């Protein structure tokens, strides 16, 4: 094993990236070591008293890592030199550290915890939203209206926890080194009312203000643009600064989510997003429309 590679991976993960990215990076390294050694997932699982599916989940970064399991796998893969092992063991220990979002686990589904971890570590967030304003762009009042929509029996404390989580996620756009954020909003999302007219007015003004930030690109996809909007539902494409981590497309469903990372799948969604931008309104036109849509209180 090239110790320079292990060190670079460890150093990158120790920086701005979250524990979720550390798990994915470590899983990727373990998969490469296993394949280079010609070891099957079944044999690897047997060596740590686990199943083949457990090895698959480890290599995808979907589960936490026990230091003992990583030690045994490295031995199986022929990584015996301390200088080669330690960066990966350090990565395993860091991968198990809880991210800030774990404090919201009471209102955060497990499948969405994965997304929040990836979002926190991304250098680029490209998204298309259809139903409502994207969570990273919502005002507190609008977010509360979205959370309570169709959930009349939701306890007030849970509503506030969900809103607080959304507000906490938005801090990354205001960080010293924020990710590049591209959002294409279907015009229907802007015309669908959540809350009072005053809440919608303030949301529209908030969008216009955010669109002036250097790291934020906002485009409205007009209702009259035709069938392009039907080419895909809402999705988010995440890009990462680590060269070992591939782009990921996130598609949220009612009770779960899909994470796509095959290059051909990511490229397909990237192409859809490019066409939405191409046929959408320009930055200036988008800002003008946001201000025109405001209604009197």
């Amino acid at each position: 094993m090239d110790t320079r590679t292990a060190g670079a991976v460890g150093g990158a993960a120790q920086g701005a990236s979250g524990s979720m990215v550390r798990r994915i990076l470590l899983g990727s390294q373990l998969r490469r070591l296993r394949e280079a050694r010609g070891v099957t997932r079944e044999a690897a699982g047997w060596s740590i008293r686990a199943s083949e599916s457990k090895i698959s989940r480890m290599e995808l970064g979907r589960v936490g890592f026990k230091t003992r399991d990583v030690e045994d796998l490295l031995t199986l893969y022929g990584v015996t030199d301390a200088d080669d092992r330690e960066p990966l063991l350090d990565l395993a220990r860091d991968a198990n550290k809880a991210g800030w979002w774990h404090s919201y686990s009471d209102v955060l589904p497990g499948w969405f915890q994965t997304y929040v971890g990836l979002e926190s570590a991304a250098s680029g967030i490209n998204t298309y939203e259809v139903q409502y304003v994207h969570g990273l762009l919502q005002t507190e009042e609008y977010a509360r209206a979205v959370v309570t929509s169709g959930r009349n029996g939701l306890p007030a404390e849970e509503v506030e926890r969900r809103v607080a989580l959304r507000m906490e996620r938005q801090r990354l756009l205001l960080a010293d080194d924020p990710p590049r954020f591209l959002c294409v909003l279907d015009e229907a999302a802007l015309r669908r009312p959540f809350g009072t007219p005053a809440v919608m007015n303030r949301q529209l003004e908030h969008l216009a203000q955010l669109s002036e930030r250097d790291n934020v690109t906002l485009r409205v996809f007009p209702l009259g643009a035709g069938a392009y909007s039907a080419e895909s539902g809402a999705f988010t494409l995440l890009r990462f600064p680590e060269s070992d981590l591939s782009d990921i497309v996130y598609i949220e469903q009612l009770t779960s989510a899909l994470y796509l990372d095959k290059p051909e799948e990511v490229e397909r969604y990237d192409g859809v997003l490019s066409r939405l931008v191409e046929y959408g309104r320009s930055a200036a036109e988008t800002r003008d429309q946001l201000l025109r849509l405001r209604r009197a209180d």
Side-chain angles (χ1 to χ4, degrees):
M1 177 182 180
D2 188 339
T3 56
R4 292 171 298 175
T5 300
V9 172
Q14 298 277 355
S17 301
S19 56
M20 178 58 61
V21 169
R22 294 184 181 105
R23 291 212 304 257
I24 294 175
L25 289 172
L26 178 57
S28 175
Q29 289 294 307
L30 291 175
R31 175 181 57 79
R32 292 176 183 178
L33 289 168
R34 178 182 59 77
E35 292 176 346
R37 195 72 173 183
V39 178
T40 65
R41 287 195 181 95
E42 182 180 8
W46 185 87
S47 72
I48 62 169
R49 304 152 297 281
S51 64
E52 179 180 352
S53 63
K54 171 70 176 294
I55 295 297
S56 178
R57 293 195 299 273
M58 289 175 66
E59 292 181 351
L60 290 172
R62 304 285 170 81
V63 294
F65 292 90
K66 294 180 180 178
T67 302
R68 178 184 172 185
D69 288 345
V70 177
E71 289 174 340
D72 290 346
L73 288 174
L74 292 177
T75 299
L76 177 66
Y77 301 156
V79 183
T80 57
D81 188 278
D83 290 340
D84 291 340
R85 292 168 67 92
E86 279 308 310
L88 293 171
L89 292 174
D90 286 343
L91 198 54
R93 286 185 281 267
D94 287 336
N96 290 325
K97 292 179 179 177
W100 64 262
W101 55 91
H102 286 280
S103 63
Y104 290 94
S105 59
D106 56 323
V107 295
L108 194 60
W111 48 267
F112 193 60
Q113 289 187 36
T114 299
Y115 172 77
V116 175
L118 292 171
E119 179 186 73
S120 298
S123 58
I125 304 171
N126 301 333
T127 187
Y128 172 48
E129 189 57 72
V130 181
Q131 295 295 331
Y132 38 71
V133 172
H134 190 275
L136 292 180
L137 302 176
Q138 294 178 7
T139 65
E140 186 172 339
E141 295 171 302
Y142 181 93
R144 189 172 291 109
V146 170
V147 168
T148 56
S149 177
R151 298 189 184 99
N152 295 330
L154 204 60
E157 182 179 355
E158 182 172 343
V159 170
E160 295 309 310
R161 290 280 290 161
R162 289 174 180 265
V163 172
L165 168 63
R166 201 157 297 184
M167 297 301 102
E168 186 68 26
R169 284 173 53 205
Q170 295 180 8
R171 291 166 64 91
L172 67 91
L173 292 183
L174 307 176
D176 291 337
D177 185 22
R180 302 292 303 179
F181 183 64
L182 164 65
C183 179
V184 178
L185 278 175
D186 195 283
E187 185 176 340
L190 300 176
R191 296 184 178 276
R192 183 173 292 109
F194 283 97
T196 65
V199 169
M200 287 300 299
N201 277 352
R202 286 189 284 271
Q203 177 62 71
L204 292 166
E205 291 171 358
H206 183 62
L207 287 173
Q209 292 170 2
L210 287 175
S211 70
E212 296 179 352
R213 291 187 60 85
D214 291 339
N215 62 308
V216 175
T217 300
L218 183 60
R219 296 284 191 274
V220 169
F221 189 79
L223 291 173
Y228 285 100
S229 60
E231 191 169 357
S232 170
F235 67 91
T236 299
L237 194 161
L238 301 171
R239 304 188 190 278
F240 304 92
E242 293 81 9
S243 59
D244 281 44
L245 192 57
S246 61
D247 296 344
I248 293 176
V249 172
Y250 170 79
I251 305 172
E252 188 170 317
Q253 300 173 330
L254 185 61
T255 58
S256 61
L258 295 176
Y259 293 86
L260 310 177
D261 62 358
K262 293 181 179 178
E264 60 272 19
E265 293 176 326
V266 172
E267 184 178 358
R268 184 86 176 268
Y269 279 91
D270 194 25
V272 169
L273 197 60
S274 295
R275 286 190 291 277
L276 289 168
V277 170
E278 179 182 357
Y279 288 94
R281 302 196 189 283
S282 69
E285 291 170 337
T286 291
R287 195 171 297 113
D288 288 343
Q289 183 176 21
L290 290 170
L291 298 177
R292 285 199 310 272
L293 285 173
R294 289 180 303 173
R295 293 176 289 175
D297 290 356

